[in-house]
Amino acid sequence: MRRGFGALCATVALVTALAAATACEPILVPARRQAPLPEPAPPATQWIVDLVAALNTPPQCPKPTRSTMTVLDTDGRYRAMVFWLVDSLDVCYAVINHKDTAPTTIWFAAIEDLVTRTPMPADTTAGVDSYAFTAYRGRVDGIEVSGDTDRLVSPVHLHTVDLGALDLVTFAEYHYRIPPTGRPLSITLCTPTGTCRNAH
């Protein structure tokens, strides 16, 4: 009886010690802070702010203003690719096309997800123009595109943002045309350091 009681006490003590050690382990949670953009979008982009204000946005996304929005690509009248920060961890972005019946689509994403995943197209309809949005840690310039470069409508557009405490993230966008049905598309983005990612 004593031997069983001693084993039980030893087990309880071990479990208690493990629980205490686990409870004392530091859990690192990224700091969520405001990250204001250094320069507002120009007055000529007010039409984008007005258009998005009239649309349904994901519940996590505040409505953009010219002081919070960055325009990566636009024709100045009908289409644009823009983003605005929720805070230092999350971002909202929109592919705007209000010519004819083409839709405007707005997304919410964790910045870290954009850094680590393959960019997803805004549209997958064969033969139409689409956009993809991605992000890189740090300041990245001179991204080279390889693969089906004949499908690119415009070069890669970049904008680097300081999320606070010199935590730099470079957001990148590219505008391309999806090939006809059945034809694969291969686009790769390579940084000057030689790091490449599949971009479609």
Side-chain angles (χ1 to χ4, degrees):
M1 190 69 176
R2 285 183 189 166
R3 184 178 301 164
F5 180 73
L8 176 62
C9 287
T11 302
V12 170
L14 179 61
V15 170
T16 304
L18 287 174
T22 303
C24 293
E25 291 281 332
I27 299 174
L28 299 178
V29 178
R32 187 178 294 277
R33 56 188 180 273
Q34 291 305 116
L37 294 174
E39 54 193 46
T45 62
Q46 183 63 43
W47 68 273
I48 300 172
V49 173
D50 296 340
L51 179 65
V52 173
L55 299 173
N56 289 328
T57 56
Q60 308 94 323
C61 291
K63 297 290 185 179
T65 65
R66 284 199 296 109
S67 63
T68 62
M69 181 180 71
T70 296
V71 180
L72 287 172
D73 187 17
T74 183
D75 68 357
R77 187 172 180 185
Y78 293 116
R79 63 168 186 81
M81 171 76 211
V82 304
F83 73 88
W84 60 100
L85 298 174
V86 177
D87 51 33
S88 59
L89 299 181
D90 298 315
V91 64
C92 298
Y93 58 103
V95 171
I96 295 165
N97 192 335
H98 70 131
K99 184 177 183 180
D100 303 323
T101 58
T104 291
T105 311
I106 303 169
W107 289 269
F108 167 85
I111 294 172
E112 193 58 34
D113 287 347
L114 292 174
V115 170
T116 57
R117 74 185 184 201
T118 298
M120 297 299 293
D123 197 340
T124 58
T125 305
V128 306
D129 283 11
S130 191
Y131 296 81
F133 185 61
T134 189
Y136 294 83
R137 283 284 167 198
R139 182 179 297 280
V140 180
D141 295 306
I143 291 179
E144 295 184 2
V145 181
S146 62
D148 294 335
T149 54
D150 59 314
R151 307 303 301 179
L152 288 176
V153 177
S154 64
V156 178
H157 296 99
L158 306 170
H159 188 85
T160 301
V161 174
D162 183 356
L163 300 178
L166 295 180
D167 179 13
L168 301 181
V169 171
T170 298
F171 293 97
E173 167 271 338
Y174 47 99
H175 178 194
Y176 63 101
R177 187 162 290 114
I178 299 173
T181 303
R183 179 184 162 188
L185 177 64
S186 174
I187 296 177
T188 301
L189 301 180
C190 295
T191 68
T193 61
T195 304
C196 298
R197 74 172 58 167
N198 182 16
H200 182 76

